[in-house]
């Protein structure tokens, strides 16, 4: 999988079945500037996404999903130790292959999904690095989530499933812009 960095960075990230993360600098004719393995890469890599950043100095968040269901969240400014970067959080709420990882545009939330299981969907609150436990509930019928995305103002969440339906949820905490 692949993802561009933030609007203030020139990075391009790639992630593959070998659980290796490559960060490329597009200013330097797409030269690889960093390579590290996904922590605990027990499964094969499936998806990667990048969050936004306030400045180059603070770095940006990026996350990876594995076939084991583990999602690792990294900060690009954290130190490398022996050629590896430690995640700031390992999310282990799903146990089937991760098929979708997305950051909200304001970096307040991140969604993770697995299409391998019914209702395999979670939302992570990024400032506290905790998974929302109150949604989805057992009564929420998402089916098998194929894709999901936050709106640009983070006020809405769209979720597409295996039946061809797209559900639009209003996130009351966030004001749409």
């Amino acid at each position: 999988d692949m993802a561009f960095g933030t609007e203030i960075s020139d990075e391009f990230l790639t992630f593959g079945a070998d659980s290796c993360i490559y960060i490329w600098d597009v200013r330097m004719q797409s030269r690889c500037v960093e390579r590290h393995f996904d922590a605990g890469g027990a499964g094969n890599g499936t998806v990667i996404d990048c969050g936004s950043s306030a400045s180059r100095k603070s770095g940006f968040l990026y996350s990876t999903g594995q076939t084991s269901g583990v999602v690792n969240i990294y900060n690009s400014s954290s130190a490398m130790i022996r050629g590896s970067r430690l995640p700031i959080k390992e999310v282990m709420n799903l146990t089937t292959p991760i098929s979708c990882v997305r950051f909200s545009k304001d970096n307040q939330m991140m969604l993770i999904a697995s299409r391998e299981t019914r209702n395999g969907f979670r939302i992570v609150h990024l400032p506290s690095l905790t998974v929302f436990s109150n949604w989805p509930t057992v009564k929420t019928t998402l089916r098998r989530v194929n894709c999901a995305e936050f709106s640009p103002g983070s006020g809405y969440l769209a979720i597409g499933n295996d039946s061809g339906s797209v559900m639009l949820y209003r996130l009351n905490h966030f004001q749409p812009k």
Side-chain angles (χ1 to χ4, degrees):
D1 197 21
M2 61 188 112
F4 275 99
T6 65
E7 54 280 342
I8 63 166
S9 74
D10 295 306
E11 284 88 11
F12 180 70
L13 286 77
T14 57
F15 184 54
D18 61 354
S19 293
C20 194
I21 301 163
Y22 296 88
I23 301 178
W24 307 85
D25 188 335
V26 295
R27 293 172 300 175
M28 297 167 28
Q29 298 179 359
S30 297
R31 192 181 118 230
C32 182
V33 293
E34 183 180 312
R35 173 184 179 250
H36 68 90
F37 284 97
D38 195 15
N44 293 326
T46 56
V47 294
I48 191 165
D49 194 36
C50 295
S52 60
S53 172
S55 70
R56 285 188 190 273
K57 189 176 176 182
S58 65
F60 60 90
L61 296 179
Y62 61 97
S63 63
T64 59
Q66 295 275 344
T67 56
S68 62
V70 174
V71 173
N72 289 316
I73 305 171
Y74 296 92
N75 187 319
S76 67
S77 66
S78 62
M80 295 278 284
I81 301 169
R82 288 186 223 114
S84 188
R85 177 169 288 159
L86 297 176
I88 58 172
K89 175 71 175 179
E90 289 181 313
V91 180
M92 297 193 228
N93 291 69
L94 300 176
T95 58
T96 53
I98 302 300
S99 53
C100 184
V101 174
R102 294 285 181 269
F103 285 88
S104 64
K105 307 304 184 245
D106 60 2
N107 252 22
Q108 292 293 307
M109 297 174 289
M110 179 186 74
L111 63 84
I112 59 175
S114 173
R115 70 174 58 105
E116 301 293 320
T117 186
R118 290 179 62 84
N119 297 331
F121 185 88
R122 300 291 181 270
I123 298 177
V124 179
H125 180 252
L126 291 171
S128 65
L129 294 172
T130 58
V131 176
F132 284 100
S133 60
N134 61 343
W135 198 83
T137 66
V138 292
K139 293 183 180 182
T140 308
T141 309
L142 300 176
R143 297 183 49 114
R144 296 179 190 275
V145 175
N146 286 333
C147 56
E149 188 67 66
F150 292 102
S151 67
S154 302
Y156 295 95
L157 171 64
I159 301 173
N161 65 23
D162 62 336
S163 72
S165 298
V166 176
M167 296 153 285
L168 183 64
Y169 294 94
R170 171 81 169 92
L171 303 175
N172 290 326
H173 181 72
F174 297 91
Q175 297 298 320
K177 296 175 183 172

